[in-house]
């Protein structure tokens, strides 16, 4: 069957006027074919009710409308296509097109991507966004580009992480001695909790609820939004507000798929995904501020440990020195421009 004649999308009203003007300014060719429907599989590890999915669904709807139904983003939430480790393989092979992933889990493939997880690096959100939307983020995205993945510029917020347990509150690093805790599958996470003196096990998020329920582990650590949305309050009692690190998800696309996507479609997707990320950050900030009261109402017990014993344990175990060596001086200089001297 011979293909129908090619038409540029703007002639069909495919691209909104604003986008077309922006593309013209960039000198980008409008090369997409009006007859082809493009479908992108977007997969992740969290329930559809999480702002990451709500906002991406809005972006997908906007992209579909703006493209006259030609560009479709299908969302597969909640580990439907596998756990994080598996989805990372799939986005590399092209079985999944777009996959948001914690930089610390991506670290198994891009060692530098774990750097923002260095314990207590960021004192607050303004510092996080200055770093991740600034030179540190650009440095990390460069490294991601080298393994054949495209990273969108803006990273999704996951949040500052806190420890939950089924057995006792964690008041200081001493309470973590020998403590069986789940961490995501990531060298930095495992190293951090070993340095605290705990007994960490790397488990994908897909198995966290059942690992807590069956007491394979006594605790885990996550931002409040995840604790609420994944219903971890059903299997955990205490929340210790350690805020030991900030974590976000880079939105990764299979490089071959992305590079073979017409420039106007790339621009359309990028515009809406970026808007979704900025709204998602706002949602998470508001959620994490309001959730404490809600989780208390569900029976969770909160405590607010001082960071000092945790920092001291890390310093004593040589955690910062070890990771400074692994990340290298150039990368540490990018981080410390925002965090101040670590360790
Ligand atoms: O796996 C986790 O704990 C989660 C949901 O926070 C991440 O995606 C890193």
């Amino acid at each position: 069957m011979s293909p129908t004649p090619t038409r540029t999308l703007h002639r069909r009203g495919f691209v909104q006027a604003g986008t077309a003007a922006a593309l013209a300014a960039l000198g980008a060719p409008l090369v997409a074919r009006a007859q082809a429907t493009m479908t992108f599989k977007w997969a992740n590890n969290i329930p559809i009710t999480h702002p990451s999915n709500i906002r991406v669904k809005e972006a997908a709807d906007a992209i579909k409308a703006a493209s006259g139904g030609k560009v479709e983003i299908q969302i597969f939430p909640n580990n439907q296509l596998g756990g994080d480790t598996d989805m990372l393989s799939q986005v590399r092979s092209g079985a999944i097109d777009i996959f948001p992933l914690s930089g610390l889990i991506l670290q198994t493939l891009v060692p530098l991507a774990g750097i923002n997880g260095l314990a207590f690096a960021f004192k607050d959100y303004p510092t996080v966004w200055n770093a991740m939307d600034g030179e540190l983020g650009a440095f990390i995205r460069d490294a991601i580009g080298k393994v054949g993945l495209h990273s969108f510029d803006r990273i999704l917020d996951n949040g500052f992480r806190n420890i939950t347990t089924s057995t006792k509150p964690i008041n200081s690093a001493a309470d973590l001695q020998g403590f069986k805790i789940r961490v995501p599958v990531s060298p930095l996470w495992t190293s951090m909790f070993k340095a605290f003196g705990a007994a960490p096990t790397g488990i994908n998020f897909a198995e966290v609820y059942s690992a807590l329920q069956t007491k394979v582990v006594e605790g885990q650590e996550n931002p409040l939004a995840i604790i609420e949305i994944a219903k971890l309050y059903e299997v955990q009692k205490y929340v210790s507000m350690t805020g030991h690190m900030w974590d976000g998800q880079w939105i990764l696309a299979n490089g071959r798929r992305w590079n073979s996507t017409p420039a106007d479609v790339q621009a359309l997707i990028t515009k809406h995904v970026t808007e979704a990320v900025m709204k998602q950050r706002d949602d998470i900030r508001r959620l994490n501020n309001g959730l404490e009261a809600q989780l208390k109402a569900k029976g969770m017990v909160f405590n607010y440990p001082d960071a000092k014993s945790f920092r001291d344990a890390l310093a004593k175990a040589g955690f910062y020195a070890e990771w400074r060596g692994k990340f290298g001086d150039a990368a540490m200089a990018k981080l410390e421009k925002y965090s101040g001297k670590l360790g």
Side-chain angles (χ1 to χ4, degrees):
M1 208 176 78
S2 66
T4 46
T6 303
R7 295 196 196 182
T8 52
L9 293 167
H10 62 297
R11 265 193 270 145
R12 294 276 301 264
F14 178 99
V15 170
Q16 290 171 318
T19 312
L23 285 168
L26 288 170
L30 292 171
V31 292
R33 314 259 152 98
Q35 78 273 20
T37 300
M38 280 170 261
T39 304
F40 294 82
K41 277 189 174 175
W42 178 302
N44 72 8
N45 68 356
I46 36 185
I48 193 73
T49 48
H50 189 277
S52 298
N53 284 323
I54 293 171
R55 294 303 186 180
V56 168
K57 176 72 175 65
E58 286 172 6
D61 291 346
I63 290 164
K64 194 169 179 180
S67 64
K70 298 286 183 202
V71 181
E72 190 168 355
I73 295 184
Q74 297 174 335
I75 302 169
F76 299 86
N78 214 15
N79 299 295
Q80 278 174 14
L81 300 187
D84 275 331
T85 311
D86 195 20
M87 287 191 282
L88 178 58
S89 305
Q90 292 183 59
V91 77
R92 293 184 74 194
S93 73
I96 291 173
D97 300 302
I98 307 179
F99 170 47
L101 180 66
S102 164
L104 278 84
I105 302 176
L106 180 59
Q107 194 187 16
T108 55
L109 178 65
V110 183
L112 179 64
I115 194 166
N116 61 268
L118 272 176
F120 304 108
F122 300 113
K123 67 174 191 305
D124 54 21
Y125 269 115
T127 317
V128 168
W129 301 134
N130 280 341
M132 302 312 285
D133 293 342
E135 280 179 41
L136 179 66
F139 199 68
I140 298 170
R141 288 193 301 279
D142 249 22
I144 296 173
K146 290 187 180 127
V147 301
L149 292 170
H150 165 78
S151 173
F152 287 79
D153 279 353
R154 295 286 184 258
I155 188 167
L156 287 160
D157 188 14
N158 193 8
F160 283 89
R161 301 179 75 99
N162 302 301
I163 299 173
T164 68
T165 87
S166 55
T167 46
K168 62 178 186 186
I170 304 299
N171 283 303
S172 70
D175 292 328
L176 284 175
Q177 291 307 306
F179 185 77
K180 284 197 286 175
I181 187 166
R182 171 271 174 171
V183 293
V185 180
S186 146
L188 185 77
W189 247 307
T190 303
S191 154
M192 188 188 311
F193 278 83
K194 280 196 176 142
F196 285 142
T201 308
I203 299 176
N204 277 309
F205 193 65
E207 276 102 49
V208 167
Y209 186 97
S210 66
L212 294 168
Q213 192 175 36
T214 58
K215 307 257 176 5
V216 169
V217 287
E218 288 169 73
Q220 64 87 46
E221 43 82 63
N222 249 304
L224 296 185
I226 294 279
I227 295 165
E228 161 72 18
I229 290 166
K231 299 190 169 34
L232 299 185
Y233 54 82
E234 293 177 352
V235 287
Q236 296 280 272
K237 176 80 179 166
Y238 299 97
V239 183
S240 301
M241 298 288 279
T242 46
H244 50 274
M245 61 180 282
W246 176 83
D247 173 40
Q249 296 184 319
W250 290 112
I251 300 173
L252 308 171
N254 175 277
R256 287 181 308 278
R257 179 76 207 273
W258 185 253
N259 292 332
S260 63
T261 298
D264 58 340
V265 177
Q266 285 182 351
L268 182 69
I269 295 175
T270 301
K271 171 180 179 281
H272 288 286
V273 166
T274 304
E275 282 172 16
V277 171
M278 300 321 276
K279 289 180 191 160
Q280 186 268 6
R281 290 180 182 181
D282 215 42
D283 295 340
I284 295 286
R285 185 179 47 74
R286 275 185 285 113
L287 259 183
N288 282 336
N289 285 337
L291 277 177
E292 193 172 323
Q294 270 191 55
L295 289 167
K296 278 181 181 160
K298 285 177 169 139
M300 295 200 91
V301 176
F302 279 68
N303 70 299
Y304 311 88
D306 191 298
K308 187 169 186 313
S309 73
F310 298 93
R311 287 173 185 267
D312 289 351
L314 294 176
K316 207 170 136 211
F319 171 81
Y320 291 106
E322 179 191 338
W323 285 97
R324 183 178 298 280
K326 286 188 174 152
F327 289 130
D329 289 339
M332 287 304 292
K334 295 277 181 208
L335 173 64
E336 287 180 329
K337 186 174 164 196
Y338 304 95
S339 66
K341 181 104 171 78
L342 286 171

